[in-house]
Amino acid sequence: MCGVAVFGVGYRRIEAVASFLQEAANLCGLLEEMKWAAYQPRINERERPILPKSFAKLAIGELKGAKDAAWAVLRGSRSADGADLGAVLFGGQGRVAQIPQPQPFPSFDADFIFPLAERPTVTAKTLFRLAHEILEPEYGYYFIRDELCAPNMYNEGGHAPLDYGSLDDEDAAEIAQWRDYVSSAGLWTGEQPQLRDLFEINLLSERHLAVPTERLGLLGDWIVSGAGRGRLEGIGEGRALWVLTDAEMYETRPVLSRAGLLKSARPRYYRDLPIEQQRPDPGLVRRRLTLQ
């Protein structure tokens, strides 16, 4: 399964999140397969299920009782051979800060999961541009995660334990750490904004590209000043997609880790590179085998 997650600062109405989720489902050809929808009237209140066909009303602010809601979800499923329960889940969710807001910093985030098919990065880029048009996020990433590992919870702070081994523990710790970092506003209040990790596609803003780092200078300048560091594709208003191949991630990720720009830097091996050509790097925090 593939997914995009986006994060931003400031106040957004739940209608904007619902609009992104509905348009994302339509873009991916999944809208007719959506089976569950809900919203949360206020933080700490119970969620209220609604019919998926009523989600369009939420997106345009015409759903009774959903004014100033804090959270919304739209999900579907389809049968799939090899999946844990014989089906895969897709769709997404998003949350916004409320006024007055109990969080230390007003922010929002959303994600959308879709089945891996032909040219998934093209779909991911389109979803990022859609998110930019509707929500104006300042950070985001595109990821691939096996259905057995609960990709729908990757951005939410949960995971599906596979064998309760050390890799499982590390995965759970990384996911929880990132969610805590987002919830505590660390993503926005730190002097040096950190990326969750380095992904094939990263949505960056001037907050990341134009802030000096101790080892690299300005990240945006560093990316474009050398070969093998990926490419920046501007999408407007100071936002850009940083796109890398597996080979470029393999060479660039340890550099970012040593510069302190990655919140997580678990060692991994890349699917599109021969395993015998890959080596552990001392700049990565642990020597464990995971897949990107």
Side-chain angles (χ1 to χ4, degrees), residues 56-283:
K57 293 183 178 180
L58 178 60
I60 59 177
E62 293 184 358
L63 186 65
K64 185 177 180 181
K67 183 179 180 180
D68 298 325
W71 173 84
V73 62
L74 179 66
R75 295 205 188 279
S77 71
R78 68 169 57 151
S79 298
D81 293 338
D84 187 23
L85 300 177
V88 293
L89 289 174
F90 43 76
Q93 61 78 44
R95 60 172 54 80
V96 297
Q98 295 184 312
I99 305 175
Q101 51 88 26
Q103 300 168 315
F105 200 82
S107 60
F108 64 89
D109 63 83
D111 59 59
F112 192 84
I113 312 299
F114 57 98
L116 190 152
E118 187 178 359
R119 304 178 70 193
T121 57
V122 174
T123 300
K125 289 181 184 180
T126 307
L127 289 173
F128 278 129
R129 289 185 169 88
L130 178 67
H132 173 63
E133 178 183 337
I134 297 175
L135 294 169
E136 298 183 358
E138 297 191 42
Y139 175 60
Y141 49 80
Y142 158 72
F143 63 94
I144 299 175
R145 191 167 172 87
D146 194 281
E147 186 272 337
L148 292 173
C149 300
N152 58 303
M153 294 194 291
Y154 182 63
N155 188 47
E156 280 290 276
H159 85 299
L162 296 179
D163 61 3
Y164 299 94
S166 59
L167 287 180
D168 207 27
D169 292 341
E170 290 178 7
D171 190 47
E174 186 276 329
I175 292 173
Q177 180 189 54
W178 175 253
R179 190 69 246 177
D180 290 344
Y181 185 60
V182 173
S183 300
S184 67
L187 184 60
W188 313 114
T189 57
E191 293 184 6
Q192 177 62 66
Q194 289 185 298
L195 314 181
R196 177 171 186 167
D197 205 329
L198 183 63
F199 297 87
E200 187 175 0
I201 306 176
N202 310 266
L203 170 63
L204 305 179
S205 67
E206 292 182 355
R207 185 185 298 269
H208 304 91
L209 296 170
V211 174
T213 64
E214 182 177 349
R215 292 172 179 258
L216 304 181
L218 301 183
L219 178 59
D221 291 345
W222 180 83
I223 293 171
V224 301
S225 64
R229 299 174 183 175
R231 65 185 186 279
L232 292 176
E233 300 179 7
I235 59 175
E237 299 180 4
R239 273 75 163 179
L241 300 180
W242 184 14
V243 183
L244 304 99
T245 64
D246 272 15
E248 290 168 338
M249 283 190 287
Y250 175 67
E251 296 295 339
T252 301
R253 187 168 174 261
V255 179
L256 297 183
S257 177
R258 289 191 290 270
L261 294 181
L262 302 184
K263 190 66 178 174
S264 172
R266 298 167 60 204
R268 59 181 46 149
Y269 287 75
Y270 293 89
R271 290 177 174 147
D272 289 346
L273 297 178
I275 193 116
E276 63 273 8
Q277 295 181 11
Q278 303 183 51
R279 64 189 184 282
D281 187 283

